[in-house]
Amino acid sequence: QLKAKTKDGKWGQIKTNGYWIYLPGYTKVVTSSSSGSSSSSSSSKSKTVKSSQKVKVIVSSLNMRKSYSSSSKKMGTARKNRVYQLKAKTKDGKWGQIKTNGYWISLKGYTKVVSGSTSSSKSSSKVVKSSQKVKVTVSSLNMRKSYSSSSKKMGTARKNKVYKLKAKTKDGKWGQIKTNGYWIYLKGYTKKA
């Protein structure tokens, strides 16, 4: 049973595993129902929807295509275990467009949705107002542009200096300095003043 065919009819995609087989001279059509459904599915496939999903490639290599068609020009290879951020998907969910380069990859059977990474960052992204005063207990403490240790360093908070906060992350790990809006890591580096 096929789930897709190339427009020229030379290649067919097996429904159960998503692999492709060469059709002319090697196969014969048992039922013609697939040809009727493929024409209708190709018209619906052309409609794309926005997507901000992240997908992880689960096969050793996955072709990146210029368009959402297996007969479209190959533009490179998506690597195994690499996570790609999508910017669009076909309505049937079979193809996804990579945000960084605009190329398309086949999703079904070749990738899995990376969930959790977006939801976990959302939970830490919630900040609450705070008027707490904290005293730096280490010789120097990086001030960051955002509440992340990978965020850009914006300066140094000095030892024994007291800083008034205007906000904190809900988990209490980061505090935002009132005077400059930069963030410092609180746990183990500061004490309440």
Side-chain angles (χ1 to χ4, degrees), residues 65-90:
R65 304 279 184 183
K66 200 168 185 178
S67 179
Y68 42 83
S69 161
S70 48
S71 57
S72 175
K73 191 179 176 188
K74 187 183 167 186
M75 302 306 288
T77 307
R79 307 249 167 263
K80 187 172 185 177
N81 293 325
R82 182 133 178 235
V83 175
Y84 292 91
Q85 169 91 48
L86 301 183
K87 68 173 178 178
K89 273 201 304 188
T90 52

Side-chain angles (χ1 to χ4, degrees), residues 1 5 9 14 21 27 30 35 46 51 57 61 70 80 90 107 114 142 144 147 154 162 164 173 175 187 191:
Q1 168 87 52
K5 271 200 303 190
I14 298 168
I21 52 172
T27 63
V30 182
S35 63
S46 65
S51 173
V57 178
S61 71
S70 48
K80 187 172 185 177
T90 52
L107 301 175
V114 182
N142 288 332
R144 304 279 184 182
Y147 42 85
M154 302 305 290
V162 175
K164 186 165 189 183
K173 286 179 180 172
K187 291 265 171 95
K191 65 179 184 181

Side-chain angles (χ1 to χ4, degrees), residues 19-34:
Y19 299 145
W20 291 83
I21 52 172
Y22 195 72
L23 303 174
Y26 296 93
T27 63
K28 68 176 185 176
V29 176
V30 182
T31 57
S32 57
S33 63
S34 62

Side-chain angles (χ1 to χ4, degrees), residues 124-192:
S124 67
S125 71
K126 294 184 179 84
V127 293
V128 289
K129 281 184 180 176
S130 173
S131 57
Q132 195 181 327
K133 284 180 181 172
V134 293
K135 188 177 188 178
V136 178
T137 58
V138 288
S139 55
S140 72
L141 178 62
N142 288 332
M143 292 193 276
R144 304 279 184 182
K145 199 169 185 179
S146 180
Y147 42 85
S148 162
S149 50
S150 58
S151 177
K152 193 178 176 186
K153 188 182 166 185
M154 302 305 290
T156 309
R158 306 253 166 261
K159 187 172 184 175
N160 294 326
K161 192 164 173 198
V162 175
Y163 292 91
K164 186 165 189 183
L165 303 182
K166 67 173 180 177
K168 272 202 306 189
T169 53
K170 265 194 175 167
D171 58 15
K173 286 179 180 172
W174 291 85
Q176 190 177 24
I177 298 167
K178 191 174 185 180
T179 50
N180 57 20
Y182 299 144
W183 292 83
I184 53 171
Y185 197 80
L186 302 175
K187 291 265 171 95
Y189 298 95
T190 63
K191 65 179 184 181
K192 285 183 183 177

Side-chain angles (χ1 to χ4, degrees), residues 65-123:
R65 304 279 184 183
K66 200 168 185 178
S67 179
Y68 42 83
S69 161
S70 48
S71 57
S72 175
K73 191 179 176 188
K74 187 183 167 186
M75 302 306 288
T77 307
R79 307 249 167 263
K80 187 172 185 177
N81 293 325
R82 182 133 178 235
V83 175
Y84 292 91
Q85 169 91 48
L86 301 183
K87 68 173 178 178
K89 273 201 304 188
T90 52
K91 269 194 174 165
D92 59 13
K94 284 180 180 169
W95 291 86
Q97 190 178 23
I98 297 169
K99 192 176 185 180
T100 49
N101 58 21
Y103 299 144
W104 292 83
I105 51 172
S106 186
L107 301 175
K108 293 266 170 96
Y110 301 102
T111 64
K112 68 174 184 179
V113 175
V114 182
S115 59
S117 59
T118 50
S119 61
S120 66
S121 64
K122 269 182 195 155
S123 62

